[in-house]
Amino acid sequence: MIVVIGLACVVLGLVIYYSLWHSGKSKLKFGILVNEGPYQHQSADSAYQFTKAALENGHEIFRVFFYHDGVNNGTRYAIPPQDDRNITELWSALQEKYKLDLVICIAAAQRRGILDENEAKRQGKDGDNIAPGFRISGLGQLIEAGIESDRVVSFGD
Amino acid sequence: MSEAKKFMFLNRKAPYGSVYALESLEVVLISAAFEQDVSLAFVDDGIYQLVDNQKTDDIGMKNFSGAYKALGDFEITKLYVEKESLEERGLTIDSLMPLVYEDEDDDWEEKPSIKIVSREELAGIMEEQNIVLSF
């Protein structure tokens, strides 16, 4: 009897050890690429939902990179109707909770008028519009996300 | 930095109908600085990006096709063009810019960068990639 219980304990221990080891192994580091603007295209929502789900399931998000019209996700001046989601605020809140790295491409941002305080000064513009939790940086940050992440998931048209 | 990863930039859109092609090229040129294994693939209307003798004066847009000719100098030497996409659009390799690179392993001999591959072959090449960024 004692031998049986002992064996059962060993088996149970192995199962728990294996499942812990396995769950540890299956955690991934993701890079996220957002290529479309908010509201115009579902990509922005899908990218947010994916990022949130990945984080809630214990995965790591190395960086979210906003490119093309995706940079428009990072303006704090967008005012969607009150009964609709505010995608920019959702990103900002997620950033605050998980300390996400939300990077807006500088080249794409300049074309589309997304500026932070430094850029506004540098370009001689009279104000900035970047939303809390976002930062503006170069395209190298996308390539770095590719190098450092296990997977890069693109959301676009 | 660890071993180089295989990056593929997949170009699917015509050069001037939207900004994707131009901004894809900007990423490609930046990627050259990171010493990764970079290739480009052109499918669907994306093959129009490589068509020779582009003229944009009448549509008031910047003709950026010259930048593809510089890819060889950035050691970006693998440009896969999907055969079926060419055929579906009545184009041949002669419709495309004659892009070349100098092969440093072969006495700097000038070699074509564009390689025509079948849809099936391209699927195999994509399978080998670590990162595929689709524009």
Side-chain angles (χ1 to χ4, degrees):
Chain A
M1 187 61 185
I2 288 165
V3 172
V4 171
I5 291 170
L7 262 178
C9 285
V10 168
V11 169
L12 188 66
L14 278 175
V15 167
I16 290 170
Y17 175 77
Y18 177 76
S19 58
L20 281 175
W21 176 79
H22 192 73
S23 68
K25 275 285 188 190
S26 64
K27 299 301 178 201
L28 287 175
K29 196 192 287 185
F30 287 100
I32 307 291
L33 174 61
V34 186
N35 286 335
E36 301 294 336
Y39 313 108
Q40 172 81 10
H41 203 291
Q42 198 189 350
S43 303
D45 294 272
S46 301
Y48 169 78
Q49 302 293 354
F50 181 94
T51 302
K52 183 166 172 280
L55 290 165
E56 285 169 356
N57 284 280
H59 297 290
E60 185 183 336
I61 302 291
F62 178 75
R63 175 171 296 146
V64 183
F65 192 83
F66 296 88
Y67 197 41
H68 301 303
D69 275 358
V71 299
N72 291 318
N73 286 284
T75 170
R76 66 173 189 271
Y77 284 174
I79 311 158
Q82 292 218 331
D83 59 353
D84 200 354
R85 74 242 184 265
N86 185 321
I87 298 175
T88 302
E89 286 180 4
L90 288 172
W91 277 118
S92 291
L94 203 64
Q95 191 281 333
E96 197 176 7
K97 185 169 177 192
Y98 292 98
K99 300 297 162 227
L100 270 179
D101 192 16
L102 304 180
V103 177
I104 292 174
C105 168
I106 188 163
Q110 285 182 340
R111 280 196 181 98
R112 294 164 178 85
I114 308 293
L115 298 161
D116 62 12
E117 204 182 333
N118 283 336
E119 269 301 291
K121 260 188 212 144
R122 205 163 70 88
Q123 303 290 344
K125 300 291 180 186
D126 57 8
D128 68 86
N129 57 352
I130 196 168
F134 289 79
R135 68 186 179 95
I136 290 181
S137 189
L139 274 169
Q141 301 266 305
L142 171 60
I143 306 299
E144 190 196 25
I147 293 168
E148 297 297 330
S149 305
D150 299 311
R151 300 276 189 282
V152 171
V153 186
S154 307
F155 294 85
D157 196 4
Chain B
M1 197 185 290
S2 53
E3 203 179 319
K5 280 191 174 181
K6 289 168 93 78
F7 277 72
M8 173 178 274
F9 296 95
L10 177 61
N11 298 286
R12 300 173 292 126
K13 317 239 185 195
Y16 306 103
S18 62
V19 79
Y20 296 103
L22 172 61
E23 290 190 328
S24 168
L25 195 56
E26 288 177 354
V27 188
V28 169
L29 292 171
I30 295 286
S31 75
F34 284 77
E35 294 180 355
Q36 302 296 302
D37 182 355
V38 174
S39 64
L40 277 63
F42 297 84
V43 302
D44 301 343
D45 281 351
I47 62 170
Y48 288 119
Q49 295 177 27
L50 298 180
V51 166
D52 206 5
N53 293 317
Q54 297 179 25
K55 293 185 180 66
T56 60
D57 297 343
D58 291 346
I59 54 169
M61 288 170 110
K62 186 168 81 174
N63 183 347
F64 60 90
S65 62
Y68 294 97
K69 292 174 186 157
L71 290 175
D73 298 335
F74 286 91
E75 291 179 31
I76 295 170
T77 60
K78 287 174 284 195
L79 277 66
Y80 301 106
V81 173
E82 194 194 64
K83 185 168 165 276
E84 286 85 346
S85 294
L86 277 175
E87 287 170 358
E88 283 158 12
R89 288 160 184 81
L91 300 174
T92 67
I93 188 164
D94 296 329
S95 322
L96 307 179
M97 292 184 270
L99 302 180
V100 293
Y101 71 100
E102 291 174 346
D103 189 350
E104 61 177 319
D105 298 326
D106 195 2
D107 201 22
W108 304 99
E109 195 186 325
E110 213 169 68
K111 295 184 176 176
S113 304
I114 293 178
K115 197 172 173 203
I116 311 290
V117 294
S118 71
R119 195 159 281 171
E120 199 181 338
E121 285 173 306
L122 187 56
I125 297 165
M126 280 181 188
E127 193 73 37
E128 296 166 4
Q129 305 299 316
N130 298 112
I131 307 283
V132 179
L133 295 176
S134 169
F135 296 109

